[in-house]
Amino acid sequence: MDQLMAIRAFARVVEAGNFTRAADSLEMPNATLSKLVQELEAHLGVRLLQRTTRRVTVTPEGRDYYEKTARILRDLEDIDTGFNAARSTPRGQLRVDIGGSTAREVLIPALPDFMARYPDIRLDLGVSDRSVDLISDNIDCVIRGGPLDNSSLIARHIGAATLITCATPGYLQTFGTPAYPQELKNGHRLVSYLSPQTGRAFPFRFARDGEKTEIKVDHRIGINESNAHLAAGLAGLGIIQTFSYAACAALKEGALVEILSAWRPAPYPFHVVYPQNRHLTHRLRVFIDWLLECFPARISGRVMK
C-alpha cells in the first residue's frame, strides 16, 4: 500500500463528500480510490467511512484521523512548494468561480495580463451568481461580493464596488425622477435582484450623512443573474440598483442615468475565498497575488476595459 497516496485519497473523499467527486479531482478511477481507502482501513484496523448506496459519512475515528493527517499533508505540501516555487513556473489547472457581471466587466478584460505572465496555467472559469461548494465541487477559489458567512474559508479582501441606482431616460420621462429614496414607494417600478440561493429580493440600499435606508417594496420583476438584471434595466423595465462597473458603459452612452447619487450606500466589499484545509498551490498563490494587484481599481470602477 502507498500509505501517503491512501491518506490523500481518504482526505479527498472526506472533503468531497463522495467517492465519485474525489476520484474525479484526483484523476483516478473510482475503483482505485475505493481500494486505496479500503487498504488504509485494513492497515489501521478501524472503519474510517460508512458507505451506503446514497452517501458516505465519516466515522468518529475517521474524523479524528482526517484532522490529524490533514495537518501532515499540508506540511508536506508546504515543504514541496517551498523548494519548487522559487525555481519553477506556475503551471496546471486553476478552477475559479465568479459572478456573471464581475466576470464580464472586471475579470475577463484583465485576464490577458495574467495569461501573458503565466502561460502554463490553464484557467477554468465557472461563471454564475449562484454559490458553489468549493470542497465538493473541487473549486480552487471563488470571487464574491458581500458579507462572509463561512468561517471554514479563508478570505482575502480584493476591493470594494460602488452600488448605484439608475434607470433609462425613457423610464424617467414617463415616471419621473425620484429625489428621495422613499419616493420609490410611490408608483415606481423596481427591478429587483433576487438572491440566487434563497430567491428573496435584495432591498434597495441607501445611505447619507450616516443615515441608512432600505427600501423594500413589491418588485415588478425580479432576476437572479447580474447580467440579465442589468439588461432588464436597459430595457426600460424599471429602476435597478447595480454596481457602477457593470453600468459604466451604459452610463457613458446615456442608455442609463444615475439617480439618487447623493444616497449611494457604503462600498460593497469583494473577496477571493478559498478553503483553509486545501493546500495553497503555486498557481493559486500567484493568481491571488495578481488579484490583489489589479482588482481593487477595477472593481471600484477606476480602471475599465
Side-chain angles (χ1 to χ4, degrees), residues 30 86 95 171 178 201 220 235 258 262 265 270 276:
N30 205 326
R95 298 180 179 91
Y171 172 89
R220 181 101 186 277
E258 183 180 4
F270 272 74
Q276 64 179 350

Side-chain angles (χ1 to χ4, degrees), residues 129-131 144-149 163-165 184 190-206 213-226 229 239-243 265 268-270:
D129 289 357
R130 293 185 179 274
S131 295
R144 285 290 186 269
L148 301 173
D149 56 4
L163 271 171
I164 63 171
T165 309
L184 296 181
L190 306 185
V191 180
S192 292
Y193 180 74
L194 305 180
S195 167
Q197 285 69 53
T198 67
R200 297 174 181 172
F202 284 96
F204 280 56
R205 295 185 173 94
F206 301 94
T213 302
E214 288 191 353
I215 302 299
K216 299 179 181 179
V217 299
D218 291 337
H219 53 264
R220 181 101 186 277
I221 183 172
I223 299 176
N224 68 352
E225 197 279 327
S226 50
H229 180 244
I239 296 173
I240 62 171
Q241 194 168 70
T242 188
F243 295 121
Y268 200 78
F270 272 74

Side-chain angles (χ1 to χ4, degrees), residues 169 171-173 175-180 183 188 239 257-260:
Y171 172 89
L172 297 175
Q173 184 177 1
F175 294 93
T177 302
Y180 301 95
E183 290 185 29
H188 278 286
I239 296 173
V257 177
E258 183 180 4
I259 60 174
L260 300 171

Side-chain angles (χ1 to χ4, degrees), residues 32 37 58 65 103-104 106 120 123 210 236 272 281 283:
T32 302
V37 175
V58 186
Y65 190 73
R104 188 189 69 184
V106 182
D120 294 325
L123 188 63
V272 56
T281 62
R283 57 186 175 272

Side-chain angles (χ1 to χ4, degrees), residues 128-181:
S128 170
D129 289 357
R130 293 185 179 274
S131 295
V132 296
D133 187 319
L134 281 83
I135 301 297
S136 63
D137 292 332
N138 198 30
I139 304 297
D140 292 295
C141 68
V142 300
I143 298 170
R144 285 290 186 269
L148 301 173
D149 56 4
N150 192 333
S151 60
S152 67
L153 302 175
I154 298 175
R156 299 285 299 277
H157 184 263
I158 55 172
T162 301
L163 271 171
I164 63 171
T165 309
C166 50
T168 62
Y171 172 89
L172 297 175
Q173 184 177 1
T174 301
F175 294 93
T177 302
Y180 301 95

